[in-house]
mmCIF file of all heavy atoms in Angstrom:
data_model
loop_
_atom_site.group_PDB
_atom_site.id
_atom_site.type_symbol
_atom_site.label_atom_id
_atom_site.label_comp_id
_atom_site.label_asym_id
_atom_site.label_seq_id
_atom_site.Cartn_x
_atom_site.Cartn_y
_atom_site.Cartn_z
ATOM 1 N N GLY Y 263 73.915 121.987 107.777
ATOM 2 C CA GLY Y 263 73.759 121.087 108.926
ATOM 3 C C GLY Y 263 74.005 119.641 108.545
ATOM 4 O O GLY Y 263 74.930 119.318 107.785
ATOM 5 N N ALA Y 264 73.149 118.746 109.040
ATOM 6 C CA ALA Y 264 73.328 117.311 108.808
ATOM 7 C C ALA Y 264 73.171 116.931 107.343
ATOM 8 O O ALA Y 264 73.691 115.894 106.907
ATOM 9 C CB ALA Y 264 72.344 116.513 109.665
ATOM 10 N N THR Y 265 72.460 117.736 106.563
ATOM 11 C CA THR Y 265 72.251 117.393 105.154
ATOM 12 C C THR Y 265 73.546 117.451 104.338
ATOM 13 O O THR Y 265 73.596 116.947 103.215
ATOM 14 C CB THR Y 265 71.218 118.339 104.506
ATOM 15 O OG1 THR Y 265 71.703 119.679 104.571
ATOM 16 C CG2 THR Y 265 69.881 118.246 105.221
ATOM 17 N N ALA Y 266 74.597 118.055 104.900
ATOM 18 C CA ALA Y 266 75.883 118.103 104.201
ATOM 19 C C ALA Y 266 76.589 116.759 104.214
ATOM 20 O O ALA Y 266 77.491 116.510 103.407
ATOM 21 C CB ALA Y 266 76.781 119.167 104.823
ATOM 22 N N GLY Y 267 76.180 115.861 105.132
ATOM 23 C CA GLY Y 267 76.804 114.544 105.209
ATOM 24 C C GLY Y 267 78.292 114.641 105.559
ATOM 25 O O GLY Y 267 78.706 115.480 106.364
ATOM 26 N N VAL Y 268 79.101 113.800 104.929
ATOM 27 C CA VAL Y 268 80.539 113.770 105.225
ATOM 28 C C VAL Y 268 81.226 115.065 104.804
ATOM 29 O O VAL Y 268 82.316 115.391 105.302
ATOM 30 C CB VAL Y 268 81.224 112.584 104.509
ATOM 31 C CG1 VAL Y 268 80.675 111.263 105.027
ATOM 32 C CG2 VAL Y 268 81.051 112.677 103.006
ATOM 33 N N TRP Y 269 80.606 115.813 103.903
ATOM 34 C CA TRP Y 269 81.219 117.041 103.413
ATOM 35 C C TRP Y 269 81.179 118.161 104.451
ATOM 36 O O TRP Y 269 81.911 119.142 104.331
ATOM 37 C CB TRP Y 269 80.544 117.490 102.125
ATOM 38 C CG TRP Y 269 80.650 116.457 101.051
ATOM 39 C CD1 TRP Y 269 79.657 115.658 100.563
ATOM 40 C CD2 TRP Y 269 81.846 116.072 100.360
ATOM 41 N NE1 TRP Y 269 80.144 114.813 99.611
ATOM 42 C CE2 TRP Y 269 81.492 115.035 99.452
ATOM 43 C CE3 TRP Y 269 83.174 116.493 100.412
ATOM 44 C CZ2 TRP Y 269 82.429 114.436 98.626
ATOM 45 C CZ3 TRP Y 269 84.107 115.895 99.587
ATOM 46 C CH2 TRP Y 269 83.736 114.876 98.703
ATOM 47 N N ARG Y 270 80.348 117.993 105.491
ATOM 48 C CA ARG Y 270 80.318 118.993 106.566
ATOM 49 C C ARG Y 270 81.655 119.026 107.295
ATOM 50 O O ARG Y 270 82.229 120.099 107.517
ATOM 51 C CB ARG Y 270 79.176 118.674 107.533
ATOM 52 C CG ARG Y 270 79.111 119.603 108.741
ATOM 53 C CD ARG Y 270 77.885 119.287 109.594
ATOM 54 N NE ARG Y 270 77.978 119.863 110.918
ATOM 55 C CZ ARG Y 270 77.669 121.122 111.210
ATOM 56 N NH1 ARG Y 270 77.239 121.917 110.272
ATOM 57 N NH2 ARG Y 270 77.785 121.564 112.454
ATOM 58 N N ARG Y 271 82.171 117.848 107.654
ATOM 59 C CA ARG Y 271 83.479 117.787 108.320
ATOM 60 C C ARG Y 271 84.599 118.155 107.352
ATOM 61 O O ARG Y 271 85.560 118.830 107.723
ATOM 62 C CB ARG Y 271 83.706 116.379 108.890
ATOM 63 C CG ARG Y 271 85.009 116.246 109.700
ATOM 64 C CD ARG Y 271 85.121 114.872 110.333
ATOM 65 N NE ARG Y 271 84.087 114.677 111.338
ATOM 66 C CZ ARG Y 271 84.203 115.065 112.613
ATOM 67 N NH1 ARG Y 271 85.303 115.682 113.005
ATOM 68 N NH2 ARG Y 271 83.247 114.835 113.467
ATOM 69 N N ALA Y 272 84.457 117.722 106.098
ATOM 70 C CA ALA Y 272 85.479 118.048 105.102
ATOM 71 C C ALA Y 272 85.592 119.562 104.921
ATOM 72 O O ALA Y 272 86.697 120.112 104.779
ATOM 73 C CB ALA Y 272 85.148 117.383 103.774
ATOM 74 N N ALA Y 273 84.446 120.260 104.949
ATOM 75 C CA ALA Y 273 84.455 121.719 104.801
ATOM 76 C C ALA Y 273 85.188 122.376 105.968
ATOM 77 O O ALA Y 273 85.932 123.346 105.790
ATOM 78 C CB ALA Y 273 83.024 122.241 104.719
ATOM 79 N N LEU Y 274 84.976 121.842 107.177
ATOM 80 C CA LEU Y 274 85.619 122.406 108.366
ATOM 81 C C LEU Y 274 87.140 122.313 108.277
ATOM 82 O O LEU Y 274 87.862 123.247 108.640
ATOM 83 C CB LEU Y 274 85.117 121.685 109.619
ATOM 84 C CG LEU Y 274 85.736 122.134 110.948
ATOM 85 C CD1 LEU Y 274 85.388 123.588 111.222
ATOM 86 C CD2 LEU Y 274 85.247 121.242 112.094
ATOM 87 N N TRP Y 275 87.666 121.194 107.782
ATOM 88 C CA TRP Y 275 89.110 120.991 107.700
ATOM 89 C C TRP Y 275 89.715 121.686 106.480
ATOM 90 O O TRP Y 275 90.887 122.086 106.496
ATOM 91 C CB TRP Y 275 89.442 119.501 107.666
ATOM 92 C CG TRP Y 275 89.208 118.829 108.987
ATOM 93 C CD1 TRP Y 275 88.146 118.056 109.339
ATOM 94 C CD2 TRP Y 275 90.042 118.923 110.142
ATOM 95 N NE1 TRP Y 275 88.252 117.643 110.648
ATOM 96 C CE2 TRP Y 275 89.425 118.167 111.169
ATOM 97 C CE3 TRP Y 275 91.238 119.568 110.429
ATOM 98 C CZ2 TRP Y 275 89.972 118.042 112.434
ATOM 99 C CZ3 TRP Y 275 91.793 119.436 111.704
ATOM 100 C CH2 TRP Y 275 91.155 118.680 112.684
ATOM 101 N N THR Y 276 88.932 121.819 105.439
ATOM 102 C CA THR Y 276 89.464 122.420 104.205
ATOM 103 C C THR Y 276 89.577 123.937 104.315
ATOM 104 O O THR Y 276 90.509 124.538 103.762
ATOM 105 C CB THR Y 276 88.562 122.060 103.007
ATOM 106 O OG1 THR Y 276 88.442 120.640 102.913
ATOM 107 C CG2 THR Y 276 89.139 122.592 101.705
ATOM 108 N N ALA Y 277 88.646 124.585 105.030
ATOM 109 C CA ALA Y 277 88.620 126.048 105.113
ATOM 110 C C ALA Y 277 89.949 126.643 105.605
ATOM 111 O O ALA Y 277 90.501 127.547 104.953
ATOM 112 C CB ALA Y 277 87.458 126.501 105.990
ATOM 113 N N PRO Y 278 90.513 126.171 106.737
ATOM 114 C CA PRO Y 278 91.799 126.763 107.168
ATOM 115 C C PRO Y 278 92.937 126.492 106.192
ATOM 116 O O PRO Y 278 93.861 127.294 106.077
ATOM 117 C CB PRO Y 278 92.055 126.116 108.536
ATOM 118 C CG PRO Y 278 91.161 124.934 108.602
ATOM 119 C CD PRO Y 278 89.991 125.231 107.741
ATOM 120 N N LEU Y 279 92.866 125.362 105.488
ATOM 121 C CA LEU Y 279 93.893 125.082 104.485
ATOM 122 C C LEU Y 279 93.820 126.090 103.338
ATOM 123 O O LEU Y 279 94.856 126.515 102.801
ATOM 124 C CB LEU Y 279 93.729 123.661 103.936
ATOM 125 C CG LEU Y 279 93.977 122.518 104.929
ATOM 126 C CD1 LEU Y 279 93.671 121.170 104.275
ATOM 127 C CD2 LEU Y 279 95.433 122.557 105.410
ATOM 128 N N MET Y 280 92.600 126.497 102.969
ATOM 129 C CA MET Y 280 92.443 127.499 101.922
ATOM 130 C C MET Y 280 93.052 128.837 102.368
ATOM 131 O O MET Y 280 93.718 129.519 101.582
ATOM 132 C CB MET Y 280 90.963 127.694 101.578
ATOM 133 C CG MET Y 280 90.253 126.454 101.057
ATOM 134 S SD MET Y 280 90.957 125.811 99.527
ATOM 135 C CE MET Y 280 90.542 127.101 98.384
ATOM 136 N N LEU Y 281 92.835 129.187 103.622
ATOM 137 C CA LEU Y 281 93.428 130.422 104.140
ATOM 138 C C LEU Y 281 94.950 130.322 104.188
ATOM 139 O O LEU Y 281 95.664 131.313 103.972
ATOM 140 C CB LEU Y 281 92.877 130.735 105.534
ATOM 141 C CG LEU Y 281 91.378 131.059 105.616
ATOM 142 C CD1 LEU Y 281 90.952 131.231 107.062
ATOM 143 C CD2 LEU Y 281 91.051 132.326 104.825
ATOM 144 N N ALA Y 282 95.447 129.114 104.452
ATOM 145 C CA ALA Y 282 96.898 128.906 104.520
ATOM 146 C C ALA Y 282 97.585 129.043 103.173
ATOM 147 O O ALA Y 282 98.817 129.122 103.108
ATOM 148 C CB ALA Y 282 97.202 127.523 105.109
ATOM 149 N N MET Y 283 96.812 129.096 102.093
ATOM 150 C CA MET Y 283 97.405 129.283 100.764
ATOM 151 C C MET Y 283 98.138 130.618 100.649
ATOM 152 O O MET Y 283 98.937 130.813 99.732
ATOM 153 C CB MET Y 283 96.328 129.194 99.690
ATOM 154 C CG MET Y 283 95.882 127.775 99.357
ATOM 155 S SD MET Y 283 97.210 126.783 98.620
ATOM 156 C CE MET Y 283 97.389 127.614 97.037
ATOM 157 N N HIS Y 284 97.890 131.526 101.584
ATOM 158 C CA HIS Y 284 98.624 132.798 101.552
ATOM 159 C C HIS Y 284 100.120 132.578 101.766
ATOM 160 O O HIS Y 284 100.944 133.424 101.376
ATOM 161 C CB HIS Y 284 98.082 133.737 102.623
ATOM 162 C CG HIS Y 284 98.613 135.140 102.518
ATOM 163 N ND1 HIS Y 284 98.228 135.999 101.511
ATOM 164 C CD2 HIS Y 284 99.529 135.825 103.269
ATOM 165 C CE1 HIS Y 284 98.866 137.151 101.654
ATOM 166 N NE2 HIS Y 284 99.656 137.070 102.707
ATOM 167 N N ALA Y 285 100.469 131.449 102.358
ATOM 168 C CA ALA Y 285 101.883 131.142 102.596
ATOM 169 C C ALA Y 285 102.664 130.956 101.297
ATOM 170 O O ALA Y 285 103.894 130.893 101.318
ATOM 171 C CB ALA Y 285 102.001 129.880 103.460
ATOM 172 N N ARG Y 286 101.965 130.892 100.171
ATOM 173 C CA ARG Y 286 102.670 130.729 98.891
ATOM 174 C C ARG Y 286 103.595 131.894 98.599
ATOM 175 O O ARG Y 286 104.555 131.748 97.831
ATOM 176 C CB ARG Y 286 101.656 130.582 97.755
ATOM 177 C CG ARG Y 286 100.852 131.822 97.426
ATOM 178 C CD ARG Y 286 99.781 131.528 96.389
ATOM 179 N NE ARG Y 286 99.055 132.721 95.927
ATOM 180 C CZ ARG Y 286 98.016 133.235 96.545
ATOM 181 N NH1 ARG Y 286 97.557 132.671 97.667
ATOM 182 N NH2 ARG Y 286 97.407 134.310 96.056
ATOM 183 N N TYR Y 287 103.334 133.043 99.218
ATOM 184 C CA TYR Y 287 104.189 134.201 99.006
ATOM 185 C C TYR Y 287 105.530 134.064 99.741
ATOM 186 O O TYR Y 287 106.411 134.908 99.570
ATOM 187 C CB TYR Y 287 103.484 135.477 99.468
ATOM 188 C CG TYR Y 287 102.313 135.857 98.589
ATOM 189 C CD1 TYR Y 287 101.000 135.781 99.047
ATOM 190 C CD2 TYR Y 287 102.512 136.281 97.278
ATOM 191 C CE1 TYR Y 287 99.927 136.135 98.238
ATOM 192 C CE2 TYR Y 287 101.443 136.628 96.461
ATOM 193 C CZ TYR Y 287 100.162 136.554 96.947
ATOM 194 O OH TYR Y 287 99.096 136.901 96.134
ATOM 195 N N HIS Y 288 105.656 133.016 100.559
ATOM 196 C CA HIS Y 288 106.898 132.801 101.329
ATOM 197 C C HIS Y 288 107.544 131.457 100.992
ATOM 198 O O HIS Y 288 108.270 130.905 101.803
ATOM 199 C CB HIS Y 288 106.583 132.880 102.830
ATOM 200 C CG HIS Y 288 105.846 134.124 103.226
ATOM 201 N ND1 HIS Y 288 106.456 135.359 103.305
ATOM 202 C CD2 HIS Y 288 104.530 134.332 103.521
ATOM 203 C CE1 HIS Y 288 105.559 136.275 103.659
ATOM 204 N NE2 HIS Y 288 104.393 135.677 103.793
ATOM 205 N N MET Y 289 107.282 130.966 99.803
ATOM 206 C CA MET Y 289 107.814 129.660 99.392
ATOM 207 C C MET Y 289 109.347 129.619 99.429
ATOM 208 O O MET Y 289 109.944 128.597 99.761
ATOM 209 C CB MET Y 289 107.331 129.330 97.977
ATOM 210 C CG MET Y 289 105.842 129.116 97.856
ATOM 211 S SD MET Y 289 105.300 127.453 98.265
ATOM 212 C CE MET Y 289 105.814 126.560 96.804
ATOM 213 N N ASP Y 290 109.964 130.738 99.096
ATOM 214 C CA ASP Y 290 111.429 130.761 99.023
ATOM 215 C C ASP Y 290 112.091 130.699 100.395
ATOM 216 O O ASP Y 290 113.311 130.534 100.495
ATOM 217 C CB ASP Y 290 111.898 132.016 98.289
ATOM 218 C CG ASP Y 290 111.375 133.293 98.935
ATOM 219 O OD1 ASP Y 290 110.343 133.227 99.623
ATOM 220 O OD2 ASP Y 290 112.013 134.349 98.758
ATOM 221 N N LYS Y 291 111.302 130.812 101.477
ATOM 222 C CA LYS Y 291 111.859 130.788 102.829
ATOM 223 C C LYS Y 291 111.558 129.488 103.569
ATOM 224 O O LYS Y 291 111.771 129.398 104.774
ATOM 225 C CB LYS Y 291 111.297 131.967 103.633
ATOM 226 C CG LYS Y 291 111.612 133.332 103.017
ATOM 227 C CD LYS Y 291 110.961 134.446 103.813
ATOM 228 C CE LYS Y 291 111.204 135.806 103.163
ATOM 229 N NZ LYS Y 291 110.508 136.896 103.882
ATOM 230 N N MET Y 292 111.044 128.485 102.869
ATOM 231 C CA MET Y 292 110.591 127.262 103.529
ATOM 232 C C MET Y 292 111.678 126.206 103.688
ATOM 233 O O MET Y 292 111.453 125.184 104.328
ATOM 234 C CB MET Y 292 109.392 126.682 102.777
ATOM 235 C CG MET Y 292 108.159 127.556 102.887
ATOM 236 S SD MET Y 292 106.683 126.805 102.175
ATOM 237 C CE MET Y 292 105.475 128.074 102.514
ATOM 238 N N GLY Y 293 112.837 126.411 103.091
ATOM 239 C CA GLY Y 293 113.964 125.507 103.289
ATOM 240 C C GLY Y 293 113.627 124.064 102.981
ATOM 241 O O GLY Y 293 113.157 123.718 101.889
ATOM 242 N N GLY Y 294 113.815 123.179 103.983
ATOM 243 C CA GLY Y 294 113.593 121.748 103.797
ATOM 244 C C GLY Y 294 112.144 121.368 103.593
ATOM 245 O O GLY Y 294 111.846 120.253 103.142
ATOM 246 N N PHE Y 295 111.212 122.289 103.921
ATOM 247 C CA PHE Y 295 109.786 122.008 103.732
ATOM 248 C C PHE Y 295 109.312 122.341 102.310
ATOM 249 O O PHE Y 295 108.154 122.119 101.976
ATOM 250 C CB PHE Y 295 108.952 122.810 104.737
ATOM 251 C CG PHE Y 295 109.154 122.398 106.159
ATOM 252 C CD1 PHE Y 295 110.004 123.114 106.991
ATOM 253 C CD2 PHE Y 295 108.505 121.283 106.684
ATOM 254 C CE1 PHE Y 295 110.199 122.739 108.304
ATOM 255 C CE2 PHE Y 295 108.693 120.893 107.997
ATOM 256 C CZ PHE Y 295 109.553 121.619 108.822
ATOM 257 N N ARG Y 296 110.218 122.852 101.485
ATOM 258 C CA ARG Y 296 109.825 123.278 100.143
ATOM 259 C C ARG Y 296 109.216 122.153 99.302
ATOM 260 O O ARG Y 296 108.196 122.368 98.629
ATOM 261 C CB ARG Y 296 111.022 123.904 99.427
ATOM 262 C CG ARG Y 296 110.734 124.405 98.017
ATOM 263 C CD ARG Y 296 109.649 125.493 98.016
ATOM 264 N NE ARG Y 296 109.262 125.880 96.673
ATOM 265 C CZ ARG Y 296 109.744 126.931 96.022
ATOM 266 N NH1 ARG Y 296 110.656 127.710 96.608
ATOM 267 N NH2 ARG Y 296 109.350 127.221 94.813
#
């Protein structure tokens, strides 16, 4: 809850990015975004 301070919001934004790491298996298809 509130005791997390600024890290509460940071955790919310970081979690989906961690899940997005699965995209590493498709690095060769990213073209200009590589």
